[in-house]
Amino acid sequence: MPARLRSLWDEPGPADAPVRVWRDWVLFAGFVVAMVLEVLLRPELPFRWFAGAVGLAVLPTLLIRRTRPLAAVAIAFGACGTAPFVTGLDLGLNTFVFVLLLGYALTRWGSGRQTVLGTAIILAKLAVGLLAGHSGPNDTLGGVGMLFAVTALGAAVRYRTRARHRELDQVKLLERERLARDLHDTVAHHVSAMVIRAQAGLATAPFNPDAATDALRLIESEATRALAEMRGIVRVLRTDEPADLAPTPGLADLHGLAGAHRAGPAVDVAVTGDLDDLPAPIGTALFRLAQESVTNARRHARNATRIEVHVEADDASVRLRVTDDGDAPAARTPAPAGFGLLGMAERAGLVGGTCSAGPAPTRGWMVTAVLPRA
């Protein structure tokens, strides 16, 4: 088997296929009512009661079209292909159009082998109907065209969704890499401090034993903090790109975002609460979230004159709020490709917090984040 056909045959189905949602039941009930009404209102249709019974018997395949697309196609098209041998004519109910949804589900949710086998079943049904005289060439050609359109649509949606998931995974991976760099720099700072304290203790030990004891206490404290922060590096990815030699930004750098900027509105920064013992990773995460929020506001806030950054701390958490006074944010609702907000949510989640964005109560846009102190 050629490599491309082998890859198609071995392709797994999407893992996130929903079993059944409320819309499926509404769709099923709608087709039941439509099929019953068509049977009652079309007395000229030959074998209408038999056709209606076959339709109602295979209609439940709509409920399994995502989780078992091959079985749904096999049951529906098998019944539609064999029933005309009883009547000698095509069943003729317009409500049999529901089988198009099964064709869409086959390429949208089926695995590679399910798609290949299901397509073969569909083509076999159309070929048998044409050869047996149950449907004319024009009807068969029209059916092929419609089924090709819906299956192509299902494949397009499938691969577009997969590409979207890849892009989202890349954004999350990039944010984990950035966090790993920040944590690496923080731990390196603690280790450097321990080395300096140890050297100072060794130098003063001969003539001042108390100084050596103090150095050991400080080394213990720095080592405890370093070990606690090293746990955050576990399973966080980092590539082999050259290390950034600039100091890791933190909470003290927030005020650098303030002031008037030629490229956009002025920025006001306000910090309230006790932030003296805030861990370095939390401070870095706050700065990154505020920086990204300010950058987004400068780029997208129409007619904004001011951006406000407010950080408030209590005993358990630190809260960040970034707002602007731009126009009504209806046009600024995050698009599906809004990876900036996704990266911010990922950064907050990696340190145990949350981040959300949306329209402000009065006007403009608001980003809020809550991070734990620990």
Side-chain angles (χ1 to χ4, degrees):
M1 183 181 295
R4 291 187 178 179
L5 293 180
R6 171 61 66 181
S7 62
L8 174 61
W9 180 262
D10 294 335
E11 181 179 357
D16 56 345
V19 179
R20 271 180 293 275
V21 295
W22 64 269
R23 293 185 298 273
D24 294 327
W25 295 105
V26 173
L27 183 68
F28 174 76
F31 270 107
V32 168
V33 172
M35 193 169 291
V36 171
L37 289 177
E38 184 177 9
V39 170
L40 294 175
L41 299 178
R42 294 183 63 186
E44 78 284 358
L45 186 68
F47 302 100
R48 55 178 177 147
W49 297 107
F50 176 75
V54 172
L56 293 175
V58 300
L59 196 56
T61 55
L62 282 174
L63 302 176
I64 62 170
R65 68 186 188 279
R66 298 191 191 93
T67 55
R68 303 183 66 184
L70 178 59
V73 167
I75 294 171
F77 282 87
C80 293
T82 56
F85 286 98
V86 177
T87 62
L89 297 171
D90 190 55
L91 295 179
L93 286 181
N94 294 327
T95 43
F96 271 102
V97 71
F98 78 87
V99 298
L100 294 177
L101 298 176
L102 305 183
Y104 170 87
L106 179 68
T107 53
R108 173 65 181 91
W109 301 108
S111 65
R113 64 188 63 195
Q114 288 176 335
T115 300
V116 172
L117 295 175
T119 302
I121 291 173
I122 293 174
L123 294 177
K125 184 269 178 190
L126 295 174
V128 168
L130 177 63
L131 295 175
H134 301 152
S135 59
N138 292 335
D139 293 336
T140 302
L141 185 60
V144 170
M146 295 180 64
L147 286 168
F148 175 78
V150 296
T151 53
L153 178 61
V157 173
R158 175 194 187 121
Y159 291 111
R160 178 65 187 91
T161 303
R162 178 181 297 178
R164 168 70 177 173
H165 287 167
R166 284 202 191 104
E167 292 172 344
L168 297 181
D169 290 340
Q170 289 176 354
V171 171
K172 292 181 179 180
L173 181 60
L174 178 60
E175 200 59 39
R176 288 175 180 270
E177 177 189 331
R178 290 172 177 169
L179 179 61
R181 291 180 182 275
D182 293 339
L183 291 174
H184 172 271
D185 294 338
T186 300
V187 173
H189 166 75
H190 290 311
V191 174
S192 300
M194 286 188 286
V195 171
I196 294 173
R197 296 294 184 182
Q199 292 173 342
L202 290 173
T204 57
F207 54 86
N208 190 355
D210 293 338
T213 302
D214 292 339
L216 289 174
R217 292 195 183 96
L218 291 171
I219 290 173
E220 179 189 14
S221 176
E222 291 289 340
T224 301
R225 295 180 62 184
L227 287 173
E229 290 168 1
M230 281 180 65
R231 295 189 183 99
I233 305 179
V234 177
R235 300 186 183 280
V236 178
L237 301 177
R238 183 175 187 180
T239 64
D240 295 330
E241 296 178 8
D244 187 1
L245 300 180
T248 302
L251 198 59
D253 299 285
L254 272 177
H255 293 283
L257 301 175
H261 300 267
R262 290 179 297 175
V267 180
D268 291 335
V269 177
V271 179
T272 59
D274 182 16
L275 298 171
D276 292 338
D277 60 344
L278 193 69
I282 304 299
T284 300
L286 280 171
F287 174 81
R288 297 293 192 194
L289 295 174
Q291 183 184 45
E292 181 71 17
S293 301
V294 170
T295 300
N296 288 340
R298 287 176 183 162
R299 290 176 179 173
H300 305 297
R302 299 182 58 185
N303 301 322
T305 60
R306 186 166 299 279
I307 302 170
E308 296 183 356
V309 180
H310 184 229
V311 176
E312 182 180 4
D314 55 30
D315 294 337
S317 61
V318 183
R319 292 175 174 81
L320 169 70
R321 185 177 71 252
V322 181
T323 57
D324 63 72
D325 60 353
D327 290 340
R332 294 174 54 195
T333 301
F339 296 133
L341 296 179
L342 177 66
M344 293 165 65
E346 181 73 7
R347 163 71 67 141
L350 288 172
V351 295
T354 59
C355 180
S356 60
T362 54
R363 60 176 297 174
W365 194 257
M366 179 170 63
V367 176
T368 57
V370 181
L371 306 182
R373 294 188 69 103

